[in-house]
Amino acid sequence: MDNAKIKEILLDIAPTDLEFTVTQTGKESKRVNGFYMPDTHEIFLHNKNFKNDNQLVYTAVHEYTHHLTAEELLKTTGNSNSTYNAKVHSQAFWAKFNQLLMVAEEKGYYKLEWESNAELKELTEKIKKEYLETNGRLMQEFGKLLMKAHELCEQADIRYEDYIDRVLCLPRNTVKDITKVGAVEVNPSIGFENMKIVASVRKKADRAEVEQEFLEGKGPVSVRELMRQKAMGSRPASEDDQKAKLEKEKNRLEKTIDQLSKRLEFVEESLANL
């Protein structure tokens, strides 16, 4: 697959108004499979790392996600794309990347193909059924038992926190998470970690919606980002939002610089007195 074809695939997956280039380096790298240069809008792919076009497309979509994210930043701030750090992978980045991968699959450019491997398919079914679901159900029951223990502690005038700390020897935040899972109806087949996300949603209808996202195969990062967008009213970050964020970062940096300057002055004075 040549560079022009890769670019054609990326543009078909998601359009962009910002011109970019794709370059296969002809090299192998043990550090990274590819990288994106936000100042020049270049995607570089170490194609010697890949055994097939499927792996190549996966990395190309990853780096293209950086390009689209940089484009969004440019549109909202008007600043040069050099302000975008392509080494940072935020929750929003992973959610967008997963979304683009799904489009790539729908259009036939990329395939995960785990089901075509009989041994992997059998192992996956074992993990989901015997571990994820079983553990989820156990933690659900655990949560109900903790609620009962809390009730009994109150009846006996025993501090539940002390019971948790020194009898069960469990971290309090862990107990909160387990108790939340036991307090609501959640499908254990999605696994305990995802059950915690669902249980954190207050409204029953919203919980059902979030649970369905997991059942349809969306990962926790994508689901969390969907939850965040819904909480924001599904509105993109405005220019005012971005400005406020940058001003907050500016204030934080100024305070840090001031503290470091004072510390430096103290160290210099201490050295001079030695």
Side-chain angles (χ1 to χ4, degrees):
M1 187 181 298
D2 60 23
N3 297 331
K5 180 60 179 178
I6 296 171
K7 184 174 181 179
E8 179 185 326
I9 289 173
L10 295 177
L11 287 170
D12 190 39
I13 293 172
T16 177
D17 295 325
L18 186 63
E19 182 57 35
F20 70 99
T21 60
V22 175
T23 301
Q24 295 180 79
T25 65
K27 298 178 182 179
E28 181 179 352
S29 172
K30 293 182 179 180
R31 292 181 61 251
V32 294
N33 290 320
F35 59 95
Y36 174 69
M37 299 292 289
D39 52 342
T40 55
H41 319 306
E42 295 176 279
I43 292 174
F44 290 94
L45 304 170
H46 295 311
N47 51 300
K48 292 294 184 180
N49 283 18
F50 311 122
K51 295 180 180 180
N52 52 48
D53 286 346
N54 207 43
Q55 294 179 347
L56 175 65
V57 169
Y58 179 89
T59 299
V61 173
H62 179 105
E63 302 308 332
Y64 189 53
T65 306
H66 281 302
H67 175 73
L68 296 176
T69 306
E71 181 181 27
E72 289 174 4
L73 179 64
L74 181 62
K75 288 179 178 178
T76 56
T77 65
N79 292 330
S80 167
N81 268 17
S82 60
T83 60
Y84 174 70
N85 187 350
K87 293 182 180 181
V88 174
H89 298 83
S90 64
Q91 176 176 283
F93 171 87
W94 288 118
K96 189 174 188 64
F97 172 53
N98 290 336
Q99 181 184 18
L100 294 177
L101 273 182
M102 290 177 67
V103 176
E105 284 187 297
E106 290 170 2
K107 291 180 175 287
Y109 298 129
Y110 173 76
K111 294 180 181 179
L112 186 53
E113 294 186 315
W114 67 274
E115 292 178 296
S116 62
N117 184 309
E119 187 176 2
L120 179 58
K121 183 179 180 180
E122 182 181 354
L123 178 62
T124 301
E125 291 171 352
K126 182 180 180 68
I127 290 171
K128 286 186 172 184
K129 191 69 179 176
E130 298 182 22
Y131 292 86
L132 287 177
E133 184 172 346
T134 299
N135 182 58
R137 187 173 290 106
L138 284 172
M139 298 308 280
Q140 217 168 28
E141 294 171 1
F142 191 3
K144 289 180 171 62
L145 292 177
L146 287 172
M147 286 189 287
K148 181 63 177 178
H150 192 177
E151 180 184 332
L152 292 174
C153 282
E154 287 188 340
Q155 291 174 4
D157 295 328
I158 296 171
R159 285 302 300 262
Y160 180 63
E161 295 85 355
D162 195 19
Y163 171 77
I164 290 298
D165 292 342
R166 298 195 298 122
V167 178
L168 297 183
C169 302
L170 289 171
R172 294 187 186 186
N173 286 336
T174 299
V175 169
K176 286 180 181 179
D177 288 338
I178 298 172
T179 303
K180 283 181 180 179
V181 166
V184 297
E185 290 298 321
V186 189
N187 190 330
S189 68
I190 64 176
F192 176 59
E193 293 300 320
N194 294 334
M195 290 169 74
K196 288 193 295 184
I197 297 175
V198 175
S200 69
V201 181
R202 292 185 179 182
K203 295 181 179 180
K204 184 177 181 179
D206 292 339
R207 283 200 302 273
E209 184 179 337
V210 173
E211 181 181 285
Q212 188 59 36
E213 295 289 343
F214 282 120
L215 292 172
E216 290 176 359
K218 291 187 175 66
V221 173
S222 296
V223 173
R224 284 188 182 277
E225 182 61 17
L226 287 170
M227 291 168 62
R228 187 189 69 84
Q229 290 178 4
K230 185 173 182 179
M232 293 175 60
S234 302
R235 63 178 179 84
S238 67
E239 187 173 342
D240 289 340
D241 293 334
Q242 189 65 34
K243 183 179 179 182
K245 183 179 179 181
L246 292 173
E247 286 178 347
K248 184 177 180 180
E249 183 179 4
K250 177 176 175 290
N251 292 334
R252 180 179 60 79
L253 291 172
E254 287 174 344
K255 288 180 180 178
T256 301
I257 292 170
D258 182 57
Q259 291 172 352
L260 291 174
S261 297
K262 290 178 180 178
R263 179 61 183 171
L264 178 60
E265 184 179 346
F266 170 77
V267 171
E268 287 176 341
E269 289 179 358
S270 299
L271 287 171
N273 293 328
L274 291 177

